[in-house]
Amino acid sequence: MDTEKPSSSKKKKKTIEISSLADCEDVLHNILSRLPAKSFASAACVNKSWNCVCNSILSRPRIASACSFKASAPIALQEVLDKVLLEPIRPHFAIANVGRGFNMRRTLDFLVKHLGPRTPIILSVVHGVMGRDALTDEFREVKFQDHEDIGVNHGICTCGQQSGIVLTVGYLPGLKVDAIPLLRRKEIVQVPVDDTYVDVYLAPPVPMIDQFVMDIQNYTTSVSGCASPVGIIMFGKEDMDQKPIIEKLDYAMSMNTVFVGDERSRFAYRSGDDLRNVCGNPAFISDAVALVFASDKDKPHGTGEIQFHLAMSEGVSAIGPRHKAVSVRANHAEGSTWLTAKREGHHEILDGEQILRHIDQLENRFPQVELYVGVTKRRKCSIGSEKSRLITTLAFHGIRGGDQEYLYVDGVGIKTGDYFQFYQPDHNAALAACRNASENIRNLKLNSSGKGFLGRRDVANSIDRKEVLGGFIFSCCGRGNSFFGGLNVDSFPFFENFPSAPLAGIFCGGEIGRGKLSMTGQESQEESPAERRYLHVYSTAYLVISYSAAPSE
């Protein structure tokens, strides 16, 4: 009996030790999962055991977003940063959208300091923001007053409630993310001044669009093995025509690549690759920047799949007959086109005054509402030295006016023989489109593993179950309360279906939205393969990001 007691005691002691270790790991997991992001990052460096626990906590992707409307820009910035870093997260990217009262350089430097120099960051000035307040958690859509004289006083926002910030930080395992700029390299010319020569930078007239597209393709190929990324969030320079840029991207990328963004903005960025960080360098001009999300070919086994989904709410309706451009003159200095046209099926050539008079007399013409022309363009397109092919697109141009000579429209790129249709903002059409967008997004909700839509057994057995991580909204600055006569209409399609998911939105100067208009991955009946549309007017683009767990999870 004496010989058996030590053996029984040792076995019992070993069982207790194993149980204690398991309990300790559970306690450690519970503690670390409650830490804010900065403390969590420090905890991951304590030892290998803690690092493994931290990795298990961050085994799934996460998006965090918050907004603030404090009058002081530094306080507003600190509020949203504290909120998005309140829980464990390893920033793979950050997008900050601000009003004109924010100092761009100081804001970007602040974000780089706190999120790390390797985190891709895009900062843009917008016409308004949407999101949950960092302190009250109230969801708000706020449009800023568009005053050019809104100033900056030592980093303090001087415009009160007329400005604000929405900050989004994302952790997306299984994807690689970086900010890639579209650049123009300036030429250096020596100009004589007094008794010496001074170097002057001259900007070339054409941006390096092909190089921009190839930079995106090369980056995507290097990290994923294919040339088309999962998604692109893009910001264009406010005085640069983005149509030829998006046209090339659309041509080069698979239709499975979703891209959204703001066509016209002021922006600054930070890339994870120092060679791309030329923002502020006098030798370069940045005409656009793309936040590229590419699949990670080296992602660990068991990592799920992240997908980008697009829904659109178009806010214009067609009016009048189609016209065919006859005489076309491009005014590159003013960024406009002068043209005459004839109505489809007629031979009479009309000047701008005749065209507009006829449109204004139509019964369905809304008074004192701006007009656009949607121009159907059939063009050859190519990247680099590859063989070109024809693509057909619908491009919108704003109407500047008309006289007894010409119709004047914004932008260039219209040719003789192009057909165009007039469009006008239509809040009834926009409301109907919002309902359609909500139904489209609901399709993703019905396929998700969220509240009550799949039973436990169905969820356990479904490989394709989806969890919505969050979303982005890019809405025309002409929409909002004044357009609809109601609050939070643009955010409703997303908010109605996923009220607890992080959501960040902006009112922008031009809505970019391109991709399959279906949450199920199938072609939508609204899409016309013969006529591509990626730059919109008076519309809202919804980007929904979902996560499908790996079969073993």
Side-chain angles (χ1 to χ4, degrees), residues 31 55 75 77 84 113 129 138 147 177 216 243 249 254 287 299 302 312 441 450 463 478 495 508:
I31 293 173
N55 288 337
I75 292 176
L77 188 56
V84 299
K113 176 183 177 182
V129 299
E138 175 191 4
H147 292 316
V177 190
I216 293 175
K243 292 181 180 67
L249 279 174
S254 160
D287 288 318
K299 67 180 183 181
M312 291 295 306
I441 294 173
I463 293 176
F495 203 65
C508 52

Side-chain angles (χ1 to χ4, degrees), residues 20 50 64 66 82 97 106 109 175-176 212 218 225 240 244 247 281 288 300 326 397 410 415 448 455 470 529 531-532:
S20 298
W50 282 38
D82 290 343
N97 309 111
R106 293 181 185 179
D109 289 345
L175 295 184
K176 292 287 188 179
F212 175 60
N218 292 337
M240 171 60 62
E247 180 183 281
N281 187 328
V326 177
H397 298 257
D410 287 327
K415 294 183 177 181
S448 73
E531 191 174 83
R532 312 278 276 273

Side-chain angles (χ1 to χ4, degrees), residues 314-319 364 366 421-426 429:
E314 302 289 355
V316 292
S317 58
I319 179 173
N364 59 341
F366 301 140
Q421 173 90 50
F422 280 89
Y423 290 83
Q424 62 182 348
D426 186 341

Side-chain angles (χ1 to χ4, degrees), residues 63 132 137 451 468-470 494-503:
I63 294 175
R132 290 192 177 277
D137 206 37
K451 303 175 181 178
V468 169
L469 303 174
F494 183 93
F495 203 65
E496 177 190 32
N497 292 292
F498 301 103
S500 60
L503 175 63

Side-chain angles (χ1 to χ4, degrees), residues 204-472:
V206 180
M208 298 181 286
I209 300 177
D210 283 14
Q211 186 61 52
F212 175 60
V213 175
M214 289 188 289
D215 285 346
I216 293 175
Q217 290 178 320
N218 292 337
Y219 168 75
T220 306
T221 301
S222 68
V223 299
S224 70
C226 65
S228 292
V230 173
I232 295 173
I233 300 179
M234 183 170 163
F235 295 85
K237 191 179 178 185
E238 57 188 346
D239 59 354
M240 171 60 62
D241 184 7
Q242 300 295 314
K243 292 181 180 67
I245 301 167
I246 307 295
E247 180 183 281
K248 291 263 188 175
L249 279 174
D250 175 68
Y251 165 83
M253 302 298 165
S254 160
M255 277 306 296
N256 291 322
T257 299
V258 173
F259 41 89
V260 295
D262 186 353
E263 181 186 358
R264 293 182 294 273
S265 65
R266 286 194 295 119
F267 62 85
Y269 71 91
R270 176 79 186 184
S271 172
D273 184 348
D274 282 335
L275 295 177
R276 298 193 183 104
N277 288 321
V278 299
C279 191
N281 187 328
F284 293 92
I285 296 175
S286 299
D287 288 318
V289 62
L291 195 63
V292 180
F293 299 79
S295 297
D296 182 4
K297 62 184 179 183
D298 298 321
K299 67 180 183 181
H301 177 73
T303 303
E305 182 185 9
I306 295 172
Q307 291 181 297
F308 282 29
H309 312 270
L310 175 70
M312 291 295 306
S313 168
E314 302 289 355
V316 292
S317 58
I319 179 173
R322 287 214 311 169
H323 292 73
K324 184 177 182 180
V326 177
S327 174
V328 179
R329 292 178 57 188
N331 188 330
H332 292 280
E334 294 183 359
S336 64
T337 298
W338 309 353
L339 59 88
T340 62
K342 54 185 178 182
R343 297 190 195 106
E344 191 174 27
H346 294 74
H347 299 290
E348 182 185 3
I349 298 176
L350 306 174
D351 59 40
E353 190 175 278
Q354 292 171 315
I355 295 171
L356 294 179
R357 186 188 305 119
H358 177 260
I359 295 295
D360 288 337
Q361 290 173 350
L362 295 174
E363 290 184 4
N364 59 341
R365 170 74 171 119
F366 301 140
Q368 298 179 338
V369 170
E370 60 262 54
L371 282 172
Y372 298 86
V373 287
V375 184
T376 300
K377 301 179 180 180
R378 185 171 171 81
R379 304 285 189 268
K380 288 184 177 181
C381 191
S382 65
I383 302 296
S385 58
E386 68 181 26
K387 185 179 180 180
S388 62
R389 59 183 172 88
L390 284 171
I391 59 171
T392 303
T393 61
L394 180 67
F396 288 100
H397 298 257
I399 297 295
R400 293 190 177 187
D403 57 24
Q404 294 181 358
E405 288 189 280
Y406 295 105
L407 178 71
Y408 303 100
V409 304
D410 287 327
V412 296
I414 302 174
K415 294 183 177 181
T416 297
D418 285 345
Y419 283 92
F420 61 88
Q421 173 90 50
F422 280 89
Y423 290 83
Q424 62 182 348
D426 186 341
H427 76 277
N428 288 323
L431 283 171
C434 279
R435 290 191 288 269
N436 290 337
S438 181
E439 292 176 5
N440 197 1
I441 294 173
R442 189 174 297 118
N443 290 331
L444 183 63
K445 180 180 181 180
L446 296 174
N447 289 331
S448 73
S449 57
K451 303 175 181 178
F453 289 95
L454 290 175
R456 288 184 180 181
R457 184 175 299 177
D458 295 326
V459 172
N461 294 335
S462 174
I463 293 176
D464 295 328
R465 65 190 187 275
K466 290 182 173 63
E467 169 193 348
V468 169
L469 303 174
F472 292 89

